[in-house]
Amino acid sequence: MSARCDLLIRGGSIADGSGGEPFIGDVAILDGLILSVGAFDGVADEVIDAAGLTVTPGFVDIHTHYDGQAIWSERLSPSSSHGVTTAVIGNCGVGFAPCRKQDHDRLIRLMEGVEDIPGVVMAEGLSWDWESFPDYLDALESRPRDIDVAALLPHSPLRVFVMGERGARREPATEDDRQKMQAIAREALDAGAIGFATSRLLIHRTKAGEHIPTYQADVEELKAIAGVMRDAGTGVLQMVLDAPFSPWPDELAHLLAVAQASGRPVTFTLGTSNQGDPVWREALRICDDANARGLSISPQLLPRPIGMVCGFELSTHPFCLCPSYQPIAALPLAEQLPYLRDPAFRARLISEAPQEGHPLAMMTRNWDWIFPLSDPPNYEPPAETSIGAQARARGVGPEAVAWDLLMNDGDGDGLLYNTLGNYYDGRLDEIYELINHPGVVMGLGDGGAHYAAICDASYPTFMLTYWTRDREGPKLSVAQVVQALTARPAQTMGLQDRGRIAVGYKADVNVIDLDALILHAPHIRHDLPGGGRRLDQAATGFVATIVSGRVIRRNDQATDALPGRVVRGAQAAPVEMA
């Protein structure tokens, strides 16, 4: 009797996530798992002809903020448009559970400030049919979606839930507070949290500019919570440290104390500056030494510049804090245009100094690090194309250059790319070295957050197009990039059942035309609850994206399939592959 499968991907070049060279073969899928890899001579209910195409595991993005979008939307876009099949939420220690009714608005204000999600979007989109973290996981489970989600227990809601106003004001936790946090953390782990997340970052602030509840939280508090993961034998700690505002050695000493006490894996955000001393190299050395002593520390890296997209319809641009702009800042672009097209208004704004405001908004005048955003986008733009360089070449002020680019021949829809970091000396060479470091893991797509400022959830497509094909400098192999997008992040978070094309693994698969793959420029959509705006970014060249054996996207278009599930806790590797 012939073997049978639900779906057969025939004759593709298989980059299996191991880092080994791609090979030609078939991938047979049955009941949501990979049945065989190689030649398959049986019967298939559906066949995808992958000749000339690349077959990869589904991508795993371990740093997203779809905590809200996973409640109000069936599609975790833009991540699922770029081959991501598993997204981790709860990062940076912010989220929506646990939460009592009286604290709903507080958490909305927190997410509005830290992750740039409009309050009106959350107020309309969140159903709040939960209080505890297990309740929240159940709420996620009850809703259909395209891809899988795994959730970290976020520290800020936990602190407010236990301590109330004292927690929000960042008062030290008492022994009783810590014990209550431990009990809730254990409850969360038992229900399926894959770890715990916190932030110490200075610029993580509420909408009102206040520090988040976890800023500079005492190390004993973190040890107490992380100790629950030690006792449970499961869970990963995710941290955002306060570097570069504090020295890397000081911040990492804080992290290592918690890692040592808990014995659990830790991942944290790593980035480079654009200039100055390369202090992140010392951070890597400290991590390497710690790992050599038996700890598990994984610096997490965005494989392109850390940047914001700026425009008149977005959260930030070089004039967003100017006094004359404030009266029209909240207007739709169409209603701004009569003012923006007025020469007198232009002259006034170009001459005005910006006021103080949100820290990210105050970073929009680093003229030598801001560039026009083209289509397709150039994420390694040459120095001579910066606003500052263009202004010097033309003998005008950078404000005039920025204004004209934003106006885009009078339409007001021009976009700028503000490279805040990861662009050392105006090149990605340092990022190339970091990607090649064996301890570094890719992440920081931030999907579901910074809706009107950042669109980095497209980084998988960027890695496949730029790092393997289009870059003029040193490149990466397809096998290396695929491993960096699949097995490596999956293993970092304890999700050992995915990230590989091998027998018994979860059938999360991409079929990609690498030769035709294109990453398009970000564009603005108004499809959030309440008509809220967000940046989206399309790719062409994804022939199929498959989750649990079902095709969720075909030829860059969504299908009706919604097989995504909540991943509860760490997942073991298939027995035959363990």
Side-chain angles (χ1 to χ4, degrees):
M1 184 176 179
S2 297
R4 176 198 157 273
C5 68
D6 298 323
L7 177 63
L8 178 64
I9 304 168
R10 175 174 288 156
S13 175
I14 301 171
D16 65 4
S18 69
E21 283 300 309
F23 57 93
I24 303 299
D26 305 333
V27 178
I29 295 169
L30 179 66
D31 295 333
L33 300 175
I34 295 174
L35 175 66
S36 70
V37 180
F40 183 79
D41 296 326
V43 177
D45 294 345
E46 180 184 354
V47 176
I48 295 176
D49 182 1
L53 306 177
T54 299
V55 181
T56 78
F59 305 145
V60 179
D61 189 343
I62 63 177
H63 191 115
T64 80
H65 292 280
Y66 290 117
D67 308 64
Q69 190 170 327
I71 292 292
W72 65 64
S73 177
E74 295 178 338
R75 306 195 185 280
L76 299 192
S77 167
S79 291
S80 58
S81 303
H82 295 276
V84 172
T85 55
T86 302
V88 176
I89 62 176
N91 284 281
C92 300
V94 292
F96 300 110
C99 184
R100 295 186 176 88
K101 184 175 181 179
Q102 63 264 30
D103 291 319
H104 289 177
D105 288 345
R106 187 191 300 278
L107 291 194
I108 284 176
R109 293 194 301 272
L110 178 65
M111 291 293 276
E112 192 172 17
V114 175
E115 303 301 344
D116 191 29
I117 304 173
V120 65
V121 169
M122 292 181 281
E124 182 162 327
L126 293 173
S127 56
W128 293 112
D129 51 335
W130 63 85
E131 179 173 294
S132 69
F133 192 81
D135 291 342
Y136 175 69
L137 292 184
D138 290 344
L140 289 174
E141 190 74 68
S142 70
R143 290 157 168 83
R145 67 185 56 83
D146 51 0
I147 67 175
D148 286 355
V149 292
L152 296 158
L153 172 66
H155 192 188
S156 279
L158 173 63
R159 203 167 202 274
V160 172
F161 190 85
V162 169
M163 299 174 61
E165 189 65 32
R166 291 186 300 113
R169 291 199 304 265
R170 300 170 37 245
E171 293 183 15
T174 66
E175 177 61 27
D176 183 60
D177 293 331
R178 291 195 291 268
Q179 289 180 4
K180 289 177 179 177
M181 289 188 216
Q182 286 179 310
I184 293 172
R186 184 56 193 249
E187 178 187 54
L189 289 171
D190 290 345
I194 64 165
F196 169 72
T198 189
S199 172
R200 294 171 47 80
L201 187 59
L202 176 71
I203 62 172
H204 274 172
R205 301 191 180 220
T206 69
K207 180 67 174 177
E210 302 161 339
H211 289 297
I212 59 174
T214 63
Y215 176 63
Q216 293 185 336
D218 185 73
V219 69
E220 294 305 317
E221 179 179 330
L222 294 176
K223 284 181 181 180
I225 300 169
V228 177
M229 296 192 294
R230 176 198 61 221
D231 296 342
T234 189
V236 176
L237 174 63
Q238 184 268 335
M239 294 186 72
V240 182
L241 302 177
D242 200 31
F245 303 103
S246 297
W248 273 114
D250 294 349
E251 288 298 301
L252 285 169
H254 195 94
L255 178 148
L256 293 176
V258 181
Q260 186 72 51
S262 69
R264 299 305 305 166
V266 182
T267 181
F268 70 95
T269 300
L270 178 71
T272 83
S273 61
N274 290 344
Q275 51 194 341
D277 294 335
V279 293
W280 55 90
R281 296 176 187 169
E282 174 68 4
L284 273 183
R285 186 196 64 74
I286 293 171
C287 293
D288 289 344
D289 290 347
N291 289 334
R293 298 195 306 270
L295 297 181
S296 177
I297 313 296
S298 298
Q300 195 175 139
L301 177 75
L302 180 70
R304 69 188 193 198
I306 299 168
M308 294 189 297
V309 181
C310 303
F312 286 129
E313 201 173 1
L314 299 174
S315 296
T316 70
H317 55 78
F319 308 96
C320 65
L321 295 179
C322 290
S324 295
Y325 183 76
Q326 292 303 304
I328 69 168
L331 297 178
L333 179 60
E335 296 179 31
Q336 291 188 44
L337 280 176
Y339 299 91
L340 300 177
R341 289 169 175 163
D342 180 354
F345 188 76
R346 174 188 186 274
R348 188 160 65 251
L349 277 184
I350 285 176
S351 65
E352 279 185 355
Q355 300 172 322
E356 288 194 10
H358 192 282
L360 292 179
M362 294 174 65
M363 297 179 182
T364 55
R365 293 203 165 198
N366 297 318
W367 301 116
D368 286 336
W369 301 101
I370 302 176
F371 303 85
L373 188 60
S374 55
D375 189 9
N378 183 356
Y379 290 103
E380 194 173 11
E384 62 268 20
T385 64
S386 74
I387 303 299
Q390 289 191 49
R392 289 188 291 272
R394 290 168 49 184
V396 299
E399 296 87 353
V401 175
W403 182 275
D404 293 344
L405 288 168
L406 289 169
M407 283 305 295
N408 193 28
D409 296 326
D411 293 332
D413 58 357
L415 299 177
L416 302 177
Y417 186 51
N418 183 3
T419 58
L420 301 176
N422 276 14
Y423 205 36
Y424 192 60
D425 285 344
R427 297 282 297 167
L428 290 179
D429 294 340
E430 198 71 24
I431 299 303
Y432 174 82
E433 297 298 328
L434 289 172
I435 293 173
N436 279 286
H437 189 283
V440 172
V441 62
M442 297 303 104
L444 305 175
D446 256 359
H450 304 289
Y451 278 122
I454 291 174
C455 200
D456 287 335
S458 63
Y459 77 85
T461 303
F462 171 77
M463 288 199 78
L464 287 168
T465 54
Y466 195 70
W467 281 113
T468 75
R469 188 189 69 195
D470 297 341
R471 191 172 192 253
E472 293 183 1
K475 297 181 177 67
L476 305 169
S477 71
V478 170
Q480 183 180 2
V481 165
V482 169
Q483 184 183 41
L485 294 172
T486 58
R488 178 73 174 96
Q491 292 163 3
T492 297
M493 302 308 294
L495 303 178
Q496 308 284 356
D497 64 333
R498 64 199 67 206
R500 290 286 307 278
I501 300 288
V503 173
Y505 276 80
K506 192 171 183 289
D508 295 346
V509 182
N510 286 309
V511 182
I512 308 169
D513 186 342
L514 286 184
D515 293 334
L517 189 62
I518 298 173
L519 178 61
H520 300 282
H523 60 279
I524 299 168
R525 302 182 64 170
H526 293 266
D527 59 356
L528 294 177
R533 72 194 187 284
R534 70 179 177 104
L535 283 163
D536 196 5
Q537 192 165 15
T540 53
F542 282 88
V543 175
T545 295
I546 299 157
V547 174
S548 296
R550 298 179 64 190
V551 180
I552 66 161
R553 293 186 65 84
R554 197 185 304 271
N555 296 321
D556 305 306
Q557 299 297 318
T559 69
D560 293 332
L562 298 170
R565 295 292 180 267
V566 175
V567 184
R568 292 185 183 258
Q571 303 293 308
V575 174
E576 58 266 47
M577 300 298 296

